[in-house]
Amino acid sequence: MVCFIILHYMVIEETLSCVENIKSIEGNKKIIIVDNNSSNGSGKQLEDLYRDDYDINVILNDTNDGFARGNNIGCKFAKNKYSPEFYVVMNNDIEICQKDFINRITQIWESEHYDVLGPDIYSTTGEFHQSPKILEKITIEKAKQLQKKYWKKVNSKVVVPLRCCLKQIKILKLIYNKKRNINKHIDYQKTHYNVPLHGSCFIFSRKFVEGRKEVFFPGTFFYFESEILDFECQKEGWKVVYHPSIYVLHHQNVSTNIVYSNELKKVRFMNQQNYNSISAFLEEFDG
C-alpha cells in the first residue's frame, strides 16, 4: 500500500484536482489530506465531501503548522493507521503523469532500496526542471552563507522591490528561470544519489519513516526543508535517490499566490521564512 499525504491550505480547487489525479493512478493507495487551518472553511468542506470515501482521510489541524509540521502530522497518521510500504508527500499543486506511478516507485525500491526517492519535477509556471535542486551537499558553512544572503534580502529597501517589478515582465521571468536551470549543469535524465531533492514531492520508504521520530525537522514553517532533510540523511546514512523514470508536473505557488496577491509581499514572506528556517537549522545543528 502507498499513502499519499497532501497539505491543504485555502485553495480547494487545487486539492480536489490533486485528489482526482491520485485516484486515477493504478495500485493500492490511501489519501491523507491535512488542512492547515484554512480560514475560508475549505478544510471542513473537504471533510464533508470525503466523509464516506473509504480511501480518503481529512485531518483538520487546529493551527497552521506550515510545511514540515503539517506533513509530519499526515505521516504520523498514515504510519499509525496504515503502516504503508511507501509515503508520497506531495504539494496539492503536483500532478502525477504516470498511471503506473506506484509500480514504478516499487520497482525502483527493489533495485535501489532507497530511504528517500525524488521524481523529475517540472515547473509548468517557470518552465524548468526543479529536482535535484543542486548536486552539492548542504554544509554548515553553506547554510551560514545563505543565512547572510537572506538577511540582506529581508532588509533590502531597493534591490528586492526592483527585482519584483522586473519579474512582472513575463519574458524576463522566463529568461531568468531558464538561465537558472542551465547554470545548475544538472543532467535530469540521469539517476543521482544523495543530492538535495525538491520539496514539492518526496517518496519515503517504510524503513525511513519508522526509523525517525519525525519525517521532517519540525523547527521550520516554510522553505529550506529539503536542504535540512538532505543534511540529516547524509549525517545518518540514509540513502537518497533522484530517479528520472518517475515524472510529475508542478503547477506551483497557487496557495501562496492566493494569500499574497502582491508580488513584493510574497517575495518578502519567502525571504523571511527562508531566513527563519536557516536560522532554526543552524541553531539545531551548528555545534
Side-chain angles (χ1 to χ4, degrees), residues 79 85 87 109 114-116 203-216 229 232-233 236 238-240:
K79 175 185 173 182
E85 294 175 89
Y87 300 70
W109 189 86
Y114 58 80
D115 295 297
V116 187
I203 299 100
F204 299 107
S205 70
R206 176 190 288 158
K207 179 169 69 77
F208 179 81
V209 174
E210 293 183 349
R212 286 169 62 86
K213 182 178 179 180
E214 302 275 11
V215 171
F216 294 100
L229 180 66
E232 290 182 295
C233 285
E236 301 297 330
W238 297 106
K239 184 177 182 180
V240 179

Side-chain angles (χ1 to χ4, degrees), residues 74-262:
C75 289
K76 184 177 181 179
F77 179 91
K79 175 185 173 182
N80 291 337
K81 185 167 183 177
Y82 299 114
S83 186
E85 294 175 89
F86 304 104
Y87 300 70
V88 180
V89 177
M90 53 189 277
N91 288 8
N92 67 343
D93 54 7
I94 287 290
E95 178 185 349
I96 297 172
C97 299
Q98 296 144 326
K99 297 288 185 183
D100 62 343
F101 180 84
I102 290 175
N103 184 54
R104 286 173 184 254
I105 66 175
T106 302
Q107 288 184 341
I108 296 169
W109 189 86
E110 288 172 353
S111 62
E112 296 286 359
H113 293 281
Y114 58 80
D115 295 297
V116 187
L117 175 66
D120 181 5
I121 301 172
Y122 186 78
S123 168
T124 58
T125 308
E127 299 183 8
F128 64 98
H129 295 267
Q130 294 183 290
S131 195
K133 295 183 77 171
I134 53 175
L135 296 182
E136 297 79 19
K137 307 301 294 179
I138 296 300
T139 65
I140 295 295
E141 286 306 311
K142 286 181 181 177
K144 287 180 178 178
Q145 293 171 11
L146 285 170
Q147 185 188 42
K148 292 178 182 177
K149 172 185 171 182
Y150 279 106
W151 175 249
K152 289 180 180 178
K153 288 186 175 183
V154 166
N155 293 280
S156 171
K157 305 297 183 185
V158 177
V159 176
V160 168
L162 178 60
R163 285 181 176 174
C164 286
C165 290
L166 293 175
K167 280 177 70 176
Q168 299 303 304
I169 304 173
K170 187 175 181 180
I171 186 64
L172 293 180
K173 188 173 183 177
L174 287 173
I175 291 171
Y176 169 77
N177 285 333
K178 288 182 179 180
K179 182 179 179 182
R180 180 175 64 175
N181 201 40
I182 291 170
N183 287 344
K184 289 198 295 185
H185 304 293
I186 297 174
D187 183 354
Y188 295 97
Q189 298 304 311
K190 176 183 175 183
T191 301
H192 295 280
Y193 296 92
N194 302 318
V195 293
L197 304 170
H198 195 272
S200 58
C201 186
F202 289 113
I203 299 100
F204 299 107
S205 70
R206 176 190 288 158
K207 179 169 69 77
F208 179 81
V209 174
E210 293 183 349
R212 286 169 62 86
K213 182 178 179 180
E214 302 275 11
V215 171
F216 294 100
F217 169 66
T220 65
F221 185 71
F222 275 123
Y223 304 112
F224 208 66
E225 297 90 358
S226 60
E227 289 84 354
I228 296 174
L229 180 66
D230 172 70
F231 182 88
E232 290 182 295
C233 285
Q234 58 175 301
K235 182 180 177 182
E236 301 297 330
W238 297 106
K239 184 177 182 180
V240 179
V241 178
Y242 162 81
H243 209 286
S245 70
I246 45 175
Y247 179 75
V248 301
L249 299 177
H250 188 195
H251 312 296
Q252 66 185 120
N253 291 332
V254 175
S255 294
T256 311
N257 289 340
I258 290 293
V259 178
Y260 295 98
S261 56
N262 179 280

